[in-house]
């Protein structure tokens, strides 16, 4: 039972402090999820042992926490009632017990006590509930009647139900931390990660995930340091532990010494100083020494990131992952809501292009996390190969049409480009074209303005699209290569699986040849080819991408000055020669060696520091 004994420690000096003090320093290794170094106390969410989630709240967060608790009570009651309705026949004893549990859920002893503790002690609902249980237990211990005393087991049962509701069906990501924390969890949903932005979160640590898992991608976009794929971190780290999170090298120091803390702070200072030096490039053109222009645009997930897009001097938005606007909501967003988001983006960046990708759920952005009961039943055995992205949009036409109407309407206000994810067949594209044609006709009939020449492109992110790139290129206005998925589908490596993360190799010659083939097919049809996978923002890999002739690289905004510096120190000839050589390589090691050599002679001292 989580909590009864633990609540004893709530009263005095916190258990967290004692734990942190008597722990030996320990270093654990994971995968760098997002750069940066932070030092702070851990909050472990959804621990897998009997440990409780516990943290202090800000005053303003109290009411929301009490409401969350009430929601958990309502849900637990509904669940018990549903269960009760399934019992048939002569089971009067069982039914009586269930009725008493339902009544107990409404017992003021637990309810009021918990709500009061949330407020008085400014603690989260799980912790308050466990403290309330402890107080109830003390009362039961004094009851002489053995029968009544034994009823405490029922109280415990009901409290357990509530704890389950709070951790599983309640709010997934806690809000209102009273002080900045490093959040540790087995994994986070994309919506959790986005929520961290508005919370006092210094950085985060997960057990699952790889460099291109969406948890890591969002962390980078939000500028929150993260380490992912740390084995058993939720077991090894306890709430209250002091940690250093080194997102540059994918390292975590548990209970670090003062010397270690100073060392890491210095290391971070140097990295930051270098990034500031790079800000000099923000206002310069993205071109090589001999004048070849390559658009360096931004990948964003939420509209707030627009500030970063303009600050880092992006040449527009190369990828807006529109699905994040669906995950954060209680209900699926309606046309007006979507329209206003897209319109704001387009107006803010006009005349630069804003490329908005239609809903791309699936893989590690599970469709069951979408609002609404409809998707709750979508449990797929292999979501990465399932009803993902455009496949879901084509099945859920109303959902798709709502988004397309919003996109087309927003196109009247600037340069909006529509990007279709995971196209793997020509027939899929044809179906989408038909739907877009129909939506255009409807808008025309309604007298609603839109851009009739709106550019429509596809993500090239499955091997079949690469193979058919010549055919697909004839049908669209641009390509955007999604290497995050292209790598996973061509090398058969789950991009979010920490066990095979080392084999996920963007520099595998097979991947580079696919990029090259797509660029050639696109250019042969006279369309532009962009690349928006994570490798676009990696200065170590960018030279080969530039040499392969991509017209645009789209990346997290803060990476733009790094890549621009590289571009401005290169000539198109040197880049093309490098790519030609690399295309002959037999494996990723050879590719790396050539890139190392190139950077050593073209980027010098800077290469060492980036
Ligand atoms: C990609 O697959 O490379 C991509 C940019 O899309 P996402 O990471 O959202 O799947
Ligand atoms: Mg993708």
């Amino acid at each position: 039972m989580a909590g009864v004994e633990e609540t004893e420690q709530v009263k005095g000096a916190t258990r967290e402090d004692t734990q942190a003090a008597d722990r030996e320093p320990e270093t654990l290794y994971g995968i760098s999820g997002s750069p940066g170094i932070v030092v702070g106390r851990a909050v472990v969410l959804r621990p897998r042992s009997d440990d409780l989630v516990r943290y202090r709240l800000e005053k303003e967060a109290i009411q929301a926490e009490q409401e969350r608790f009430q929601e958990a009570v309502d849900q637990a009651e509904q669940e018990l009632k549903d269960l009760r309705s399934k019992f048939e026949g002569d089971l009067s004893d069982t039914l009586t017990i269930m009725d008493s549990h339902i009544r107990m859920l409404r017992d003021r002893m637990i309810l009021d006590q918990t709500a009061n503790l949330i407020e008085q002690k400014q603690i989260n609902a799980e912790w308050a509930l466990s403290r309330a249980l402890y107080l109830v237990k003390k009362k039961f211990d004094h009851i002489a009647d053995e029968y009544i005393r034994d009823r405490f087991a029922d109280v415990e049962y009901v409290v357990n139900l509530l704890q389950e509701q709070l951790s599983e069906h309640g709010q997934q990501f806690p809000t209102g931390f009273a002080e900045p924390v490093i959040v540790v969890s087995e994994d986070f949903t994309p919506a959790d990660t986005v929520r961290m932005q508005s919370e006092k979160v210094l950085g985060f640590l997960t057990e699952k995930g790889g460099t291109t898992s969406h948890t890591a991608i969002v962390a980078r976009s939000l500028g929150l340091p993260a380490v992912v794929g740390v084995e058993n971190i939720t077991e090894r780290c306890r709430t209250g532990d002091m940690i250093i999170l080194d997102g540059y090298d994918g390292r975590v120091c548990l209970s670090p010494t003062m010397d270690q803390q100073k060392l890491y702070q210095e290391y971070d200072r140097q990295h930051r100083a270098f990034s500031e030096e790079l800000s000099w490039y923000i206002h310069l053109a993205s071109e090589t020494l001999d004048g070849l222009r390559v658009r360096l645009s931004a990948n964003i997930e939420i509209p707030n990131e627009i500030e970063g897009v303009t600050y880092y001097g992006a040449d527009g938005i190369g990828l807006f992952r529109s699905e994040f606007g669906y995950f954060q909501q209680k209900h699926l967003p309606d046309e007006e809501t979507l329209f206003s988001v897209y319109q704001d983006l387009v107006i803010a960046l006009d005349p630069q292009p804003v490329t908005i990708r239609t809903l791309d759920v699936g893989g590690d952005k599970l469709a069951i996390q979408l609002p609404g009961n409809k998707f709750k039943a979508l449990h797929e055995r292999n979501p990465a190969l399932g009803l993902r992205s455009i496949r879901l949009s084509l099945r859920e036409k109303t959902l798709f049409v709502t988004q397309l109407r919003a996109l087309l309407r927003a196109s009247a206000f600037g340069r909006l480009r529509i990007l279709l994810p995971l196209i793997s067949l020509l027939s899929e594209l044809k179906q989408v074209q038909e739907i877009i044609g129909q939506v255009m006709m409807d808008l025309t009939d309604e007298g609603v303005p839109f851009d009739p020449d709106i550019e429509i492109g596809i993500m090239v992110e499955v091997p079949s699209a690469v193979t058919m790139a010549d055919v697909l290129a004839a049908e669209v206005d641009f390509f955007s290569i999604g290497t995050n998925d292209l790598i996973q589908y061509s090398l058969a490596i789950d991009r979010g699986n920490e066990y095979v993360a080392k084999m996920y190799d963007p520099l595998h010659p097979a991947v580079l040849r696919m990029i090259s083939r797509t660029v050639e097919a696109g250019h042969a049809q006279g369309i532009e080819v962009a690349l928006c996978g994570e490798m676009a923002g990696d200065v170590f890999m960018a030279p080969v991408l530039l040499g392969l002739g991509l017209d645009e690289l789209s990346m997290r905004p803060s990476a733009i000055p790094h890549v621009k510096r590289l571009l401005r120190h290169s000539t198109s000839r040197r880049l093309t020669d490098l790519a030609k050589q690399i295309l002959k390589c037999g494996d990723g090691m050879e590719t790396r060696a050539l890139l190392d050599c190139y950077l050593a002679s073209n980027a010098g001292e800077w290469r060492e520091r980036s």
Side-chain angles (χ1 to χ4, degrees):
M1 164 73 224
V4 174
E5 314 89 298
E6 284 170 311
T7 48
E8 292 280 27
Q9 292 136 351
V10 175
K11 290 185 287 181
T14 65
R15 165 173 160 269
E16 290 91 329
D17 293 336
T18 15
Q19 272 173 354
D22 54 24
R23 246 191 128 115
E24 285 294 311
E26 187 184 4
T27 303
L28 306 175
Y29 296 88
I31 300 161
S32 163
S34 172
I37 291 174
V38 278
V39 183
R41 298 239 176 232
V43 165
V44 183
L45 303 183
R46 299 179 209 145
R48 293 181 308 178
S49 62
D50 276 355
D51 220 2
L52 272 184
V53 176
R54 46 169 67 199
Y55 51 94
R56 291 196 186 280
L57 298 169
E58 278 180 322
K59 272 211 169 66
E60 301 72 56
I62 289 173
Q63 195 188 337
E65 191 65 0
Q66 287 174 328
E67 284 167 12
R68 180 165 85 93
F69 176 61
Q70 189 54 52
E71 244 171 64
V73 174
D74 295 343
Q75 278 168 345
E77 181 175 356
Q78 194 53 51
E79 224 166 71
L80 277 180
K81 283 183 175 161
D82 289 349
L83 199 65
R84 190 190 187 287
S85 66
K86 289 192 184 120
F87 278 87
E88 284 168 5
D90 186 17
L91 289 164
S92 54
D93 282 353
T94 312
L95 293 180
T96 311
I97 294 172
M98 293 183 94
D99 286 340
S100 81
H101 287 161
I102 292 170
R103 270 197 310 280
M104 223 170 256
L105 268 175
R106 295 280 163 205
D107 193 310
R108 311 267 32 121
M109 203 165 43
I110 292 285
L111 290 197
D112 291 354
Q113 197 102 257
T114 305
N116 289 342
L117 285 166
I118 292 174
E119 185 170 357
Q120 287 159 10
K121 307 264 180 206
Q122 285 182 232
I123 52 178
N124 62 307
E126 291 87 344
W127 192 1
L129 179 59
S130 103
R131 177 91 184 112
L133 180 65
Y134 170 72
L135 297 174
V136 171
K137 182 170 188 323
K138 283 216 305 201
K139 282 193 188 140
F140 268 76
D141 284 347
H142 290 106
I143 295 173
D145 184 323
E146 197 179 333
Y147 176 80
I148 297 183
R149 222 176 39 228
D150 284 351
R151 298 285 59 79
F152 182 69
D154 293 320
V155 181
E156 270 188 317
Y157 170 78
V158 164
V159 166
N160 265 342
L161 268 187
L162 289 173
Q163 291 287 16
E164 258 170 46
Q165 286 295 340
L166 284 168
S167 72
E168 278 171 32
H169 304 291
Q171 187 178 4
Q172 295 285 301
F173 188 81
T175 48
F177 297 119
E179 60 207 345
V181 290
I182 294 174
V183 188
V184 181
S185 181
E186 209 181 335
D187 201 4
F188 296 105
T189 66
D192 287 341
T193 330
V194 172
R195 253 179 238 129
M196 286 190 209
Q197 193 195 27
S198 49
E199 289 300 320
K200 288 184 176 150
V201 174
L202 296 169
F204 63 86
L205 271 175
T206 65
E207 255 163 50
K208 297 207 159 124
T211 331
T212 60
S213 60
H214 283 93
T215 313
I217 290 175
V218 180
R220 285 194 286 273
S221 292
L222 300 180
L224 283 176
V227 176
V228 297
V230 187
E231 222 177 310
N232 287 335
I233 188 69
T234 57
E235 299 285 357
R236 293 158 89 171
C237 175
R238 311 289 296 266
T239 291
D241 279 351
M242 185 57 100
I243 2 183
I244 298 175
L245 183 157
D246 172 3
Y248 295 110
D249 288 338
R251 235 182 321 206
V252 188
C253 302
L254 296 182
S255 305
T257 61
M258 282 315 285
D259 282 350
Q260 276 177 313
Q261 292 189 34
K262 279 193 200 134
L263 193 78
Y264 274 94
Q265 272 154 358
E266 173 54 22
Y267 186 29
D268 191 37
R269 198 195 55 71
Q270 286 173 9
H271 272 282
R272 283 174 193 277
F274 177 55
S275 291
E276 260 168 47
E277 263 177 58
L278 282 175
S279 58
W280 200 69
Y281 285 85
I282 287 173
H283 305 290
L284 301 180
S286 326
E287 61 185 19
T288 57
L289 289 166
D290 53 338
L292 174 78
R293 296 288 298 235
V294 178
R295 273 209 318 280
L296 301 183
S297 53
N299 288 356
I300 63 167
E301 284 72 41
I302 49 175
N304 298 5
E305 290 179 77
I306 194 87
E307 264 176 47
V309 176
T310 38
Y311 174 78
Y312 288 109
D315 300 316
I317 293 179
L319 171 66
F320 176 61
R321 290 182 164 96
S322 71
E323 54 277 7
F324 285 82
Y326 288 67
F327 287 126
Q328 288 162 276
Q329 314 300 325
K330 281 212 155 138
H331 308 284
L332 288 170
D334 59 18
E335 183 183 321
E336 281 313 306
T337 311
L338 295 173
F339 166 66
S340 125
V341 172
Y342 304 157
Q343 183 195 34
D344 286 351
L345 283 178
V346 167
I347 290 175
L349 284 192
D350 194 42
Q352 288 174 330
V354 174
T355 314
I356 302 185
R357 182 175 70 185
T358 61
L359 192 63
D360 180 10
V361 291
D364 59 348
K365 293 171 290 190
L366 288 176
I368 49 171
Q369 291 162 3
L370 284 173
N373 290 332
K374 185 168 199 174
F375 303 100
K376 297 282 173 275
L378 259 181
H379 282 285
E380 296 179 282
R381 203 174 299 161
N382 195 344
L385 301 181
L387 193 60
R388 243 199 98 168
S389 311
I390 201 70
R391 302 170 188 174
L392 183 90
S393 293
L394 286 173
R395 193 174 124 137
E396 300 293 333
K397 293 249 173 58
T398 316
L399 188 74
F400 193 33
V401 166
T402 303
Q403 185 174 32
L404 288 174
R405 283 181 62 94
L407 287 166
L408 283 164
R409 284 174 55 198
S411 71
F413 296 85
R415 188 165 165 213
L416 190 152
R417 311 197 301 172
I418 296 180
L419 181 57
L420 306 166
L422 210 83
I423 293 288
S424 59
L425 293 165
L426 179 62
S427 60
E428 253 166 1
L429 182 58
K430 295 266 183 205
Q431 267 177 277
V432 177
Q433 285 168 336
E434 215 179 292
I435 297 172
I436 293 179
Q438 185 58 50
V439 173
M440 284 181 166
M441 278 202 292
D442 292 347
L443 291 174
T444 310
D445 289 349
E446 293 163 30
V448 178
F450 65 90
D451 173 6
D453 299 318
I454 188 168
E455 291 166 80
I456 296 170
I458 60 166
M459 297 275 299
V460 176
E461 51 185 347
V462 286
S464 63
V466 176
T467 318
M468 301 302 289
D470 52 338
V471 175
L472 294 168
E475 299 289 330
V476 292
D477 299 303
F478 66 98
F479 278 161
S480 187
I481 307 178
T483 41
N484 302 340
D485 277 314
L486 187 58
I487 298 164
Q488 86 161 343
Y489 293 126
S490 54
L491 303 184
I493 304 286
D494 177 349
R495 61 193 266 190
N497 183 335
E498 60 281 13
Y499 300 113
V500 286
K502 283 209 169 71
M503 294 161 72
Y504 183 93
D505 186 4
L507 294 177
H508 191 302
V511 174
L512 298 175
R513 286 183 189 199
M514 288 200 198
I515 297 171
S516 171
R517 185 168 173 171
T518 309
V519 172
E520 278 173 16
H523 287 177
Q525 282 292 340
I527 63 167
E528 287 200 348
V529 185
L531 189 145
C532 62
E534 287 304 292
M535 66 188 294
D538 186 327
V539 244
F540 180 69
M541 304 187 192
V544 62
L545 300 180
L546 293 166
L548 287 172
L550 285 148
D551 304 289
E552 176 183 340
L553 295 183
S554 193
M555 62 201 79
R556 67 181 188 282
S558 61
I560 291 172
H562 290 240
V563 177
K564 198 187 282 183
R565 187 189 188 283
L566 170 87
L567 186 66
R568 293 184 61 88
H569 279 73
S570 310
T571 63
S572 51
R573 172 76 185 272
R574 266 185 272 153
L575 291 167
T576 320
D577 286 350
L578 171 74
K580 274 191 192 144
Q581 263 184 297
I582 283 181
L583 284 177
K584 291 186 200 140
C585 287
D587 61 30
M589 296 237 292
E590 279 180 51
T591 316
R592 274 191 175 74
L594 285 175
L595 276 167
D596 253 336
C597 225
Y598 178 86
L599 287 165
S601 50
N602 291 280
E605 151 264 1
W606 161 76
R607 153 91 185 100
E608 296 307 314
R609 298 165 61 198
S610 54

